[in-house]
Amino acid sequence: MSGTAAPGPGIELATPDPADAPPRAPHGSPEQPLGIVIDCDPGHDDAVAILLALARPDLRVLGISTVAGNAVLESTTDTALRVLALVGRQDVEVAAGAAHPLHGPLRTAPHVHGESGIEGSPLPAPASTAIAEFAPHAMARWIRGATGPVVLVPTGPLTNVALLLDEHPDLRERIAHICLMGGSLTEGNITPAAEFNIWADPEAAAIVFGSGIPLTMIGLDVTHRSIVWEAERRALLDEGGPVARTVAGLLAYFQGFHERTYGWAGTPIHDAVAVAHLAAPGLVRTAAVNVEIETEGLWTRGRTVADLRRVTGRAANAHVGLDIDRERFVRILVDAIRSYD
Ligand code: BDR
Ligand code: CA
C-alpha cells in the first residue's frame, strides 16, 4: 500500500544539551561561504547532495572525494564526474579513494541504486577526469589550502575519512566539523540494527566518531522524514529544464526501493539533508549525545549506539538529528535544482 503520510513522529528528547557538548555545525553566508569537502559514493541521493551544494551561494565545494559503497569505486567516481558534467562544473576536483572498507569485503547496494549505482536517468559523459591523487591525500590538500573553516560532508562509508584522520592527524584541528549522513537511532535499513553507510565500514565509523572532531549525525530518523512525494516531484521537477528532468528521473527510480520496502509514494533524499543542514540553520533539530559504533555484534554490527538518556556518563561526541522541517527541505532542494535550468 502506498501513502503520503510522513512516517512516525520525530524523536522527542526533552533534556537540554550538556554544557560540554561539542560545537554545533557552522553555517556559511553568501559573503563568507562555508568550505566543504563532499566525500561520497554516488548514488542517487549523493548526486542530489552534490547538486544542492554546488547551487548554494553559502557553500563552497573545495573538492569531491569518492569511495566504494553504493557501487564499486570505478562507478561512484564516474558518476561524480557525470554529475559535474551535467551542470558544467568540471572545475571541481574529483579524487578517487578507497575501493574497499578497512576490514572485510566490499558490499554494494544494487537493490537500492541499480547495478551502476545510479539507474533511472541518463547522465552526460564525464567532461573531466579524476585527479591522480588518492582521495585522503587530496582531502588533506583541500583542507590545508582553505582560508576559512572546513566541514567534511561524508555521504557514503567512512573509509576515506578514517584514512585521512589516520594519515594526517595534524588536520584534526583544521576540520571544523564533520556533518555526515549515516546511522540511525531507531531501525536500520540494511539490517534491522544498522544503516548502510555505517554498516559498510564500521571500523572506519568508529575512528571518525572517536576522533574528537565536532560531528553531526544525520541518520535515518531524520532522512526518512525528508521525503519528496511523487506528487511534488511531478509538479515541481518533471516539467522543468534538463537538469530538473534528470533529477526527476533519478528520484523516480530511487522511489522504487522505498515504495517496495516502506510503501512510500515518494523518496527520501538522505544525503542531501547533510548538505541542507549546513545551508539552513534550524532545518534539522538535533541533540548532543554520546554515540558509539558497534563493531562486534553478530546481529548489530554497524549499529550507532546513541545514549539518548545519558545513562553511560560518556561525554557527548555528536549532535544527532531528531527531526526535520520537511516542507522547507523540499523547497530548498527544488529551488537549488531549478536554479540550473
Ligand atoms: C545511505 O546509503 C546509501 O544507499 C545512500 O546513498 C545513503 O548515503 C542511506 O542509508
Ligand atoms: Ca550515499
Side-chain angles (χ1 to χ4, degrees):
M1 195 183 81
S2 296
T4 53
I11 292 174
E12 287 306 326
L13 196 67
T15 45
D17 285 357
D20 60 352
R24 290 172 174 280
H27 299 282
S29 66
E31 297 72 40
Q32 282 195 308
L34 183 63
I36 66 170
V37 172
I38 303 179
D39 184 62
C40 57
D41 63 337
H44 297 76
D45 50 334
D46 305 75
V48 178
I50 292 170
L51 293 175
L52 171 60
L54 291 173
R56 294 288 308 192
D58 40 15
L59 300 177
R60 195 157 82 81
V61 180
L62 304 175
I64 295 175
S65 46
T66 56
V67 64
N70 287 327
V72 297
L73 181 67
E74 207 179 33
S75 299
T76 59
T77 306
D78 181 65
T79 298
L81 294 167
R82 287 174 185 269
V83 170
L84 293 179
L86 176 69
V87 292
R89 287 301 307 271
Q90 42 278 1
D91 56 297
V92 178
E93 284 188 340
V94 173
H100 298 278
L102 296 182
H103 299 286
L106 171 67
R107 288 171 297 187
T108 57
H111 63 296
V112 182
H113 298 273
E115 217 38 69
S116 69
I118 189 138
E119 306 288 325
S121 267
L123 291 170
S128 55
T129 51
I131 59 173
E133 223 172 352
F134 185 47
H137 300 156
M139 295 162 89
R141 178 170 56 77
W142 296 329
I143 295 164
R144 282 188 217 286
T147 46
V150 178
V151 175
L152 299 187
V153 188
T155 62
L158 289 161
T159 324
N160 285 342
V161 183
L163 291 171
L164 165 74
L165 299 179
D166 188 47
E167 292 177 27
H168 302 274
D170 58 303
L171 282 183
R172 288 171 193 232
E173 298 297 311
R174 292 278 292 117
I175 301 168
H177 207 92
I178 298 174
C179 184
L180 64 88
M181 191 282 135
S184 173
L185 305 174
T186 50
E187 64 172 334
N189 59 356
I190 188 77
T191 72
E195 180 280 330
F196 178 80
N197 288 342
I198 306 296
W199 169 88
D201 196 341
E203 282 75 19
I207 291 171
V208 173
F209 277 76
S211 68
I213 298 170
L215 188 149
T216 297
M217 177 181 120
I218 301 291
L220 295 177
D221 322 281
V222 169
T223 69
H224 273 175
R225 303 176 65 73
S226 73
I227 296 174
V228 176
W229 297 114
E230 182 176 333
E232 290 173 319
R233 190 202 78 219
R234 287 190 188 283
L236 300 170
L237 294 174
D238 282 20
E239 305 300 326
V243 175
R245 289 201 306 274
T246 301
V247 170
L250 296 178
L251 299 195
Y253 184 94
F254 204 31
Q255 178 175 324
F257 168 76
H258 297 95
E259 194 150 6
R260 288 191 299 277
T261 309
Y262 303 100
W264 297 336
T267 183
I269 326 275
H270 308 278
D271 295 338
V273 181
V275 171
H277 182 55
L278 299 173
L283 176 72
V284 177
R285 186 164 57 82
T286 62
V289 299
N290 178 264
V291 179
E292 302 294 336
I293 307 298
E294 175 59 66
T295 56
E296 298 292 336
L298 175 61
W299 304 108
T300 53
R301 185 166 151 79
R303 173 100 191 140
T304 43
V305 181
D307 184 9
L308 293 179
R309 303 289 160 198
R310 306 202 181 106
V311 296
T312 65
R314 291 175 184 271
N317 60 347
H319 293 271
V320 297
L322 303 177
D323 204 357
I324 183 169
D325 180 341
R326 188 200 72 86
E327 287 178 9
R328 187 174 168 209
F329 171 70
V330 173
R331 275 199 307 277
I332 289 170
L333 206 62
V334 169
D335 285 353
I337 301 305
R338 296 207 65 153
S339 73
Y340 288 110
D341 289 321

